[in-house]
Amino acid sequence: MLLIFSMRRPNILSFGDLAILRGMRMVYHHRQISKKLFEKYKKRLSPYASVASLYFWAVAGGAVLEMKDYATKKRSLKR
């Protein structure tokens, strides 16, 4: 966030950001985003990946109500 907002970098998309990964899963309908798949999308979004980051954050936060997260659900342990 510092690189995008304070330093005004136009091409930042962080694999370590959970909201970005969730937004990508929701937009692209994947159960999980591997590092290789992430790099493919990052290359596609370059040189404006920072703008895409803002959209992925918004989608992950519920800005588009019709979208769902396709991540695999963890099974609860019964005791």
Side-chain angles (χ1 to χ4, degrees), residues 23-62:
M24 289 178 88
R25 285 194 313 260
M26 293 170 77
V27 169
Y28 296 119
H29 300 199
H30 291 296
R31 289 181 184 255
Q32 98 182 56
I33 303 287
S34 67
K35 182 72 171 172
K36 183 178 178 180
L37 185 59
F38 180 85
E39 290 301 325
K40 175 185 158 188
Y41 286 126
K42 185 175 181 177
K43 186 176 179 182
R44 184 184 294 173
L45 297 167
S46 184
Y48 303 108
S50 294
V51 175
S53 294
L54 298 176
Y55 282 105
F56 289 137
W57 282 326
V59 167

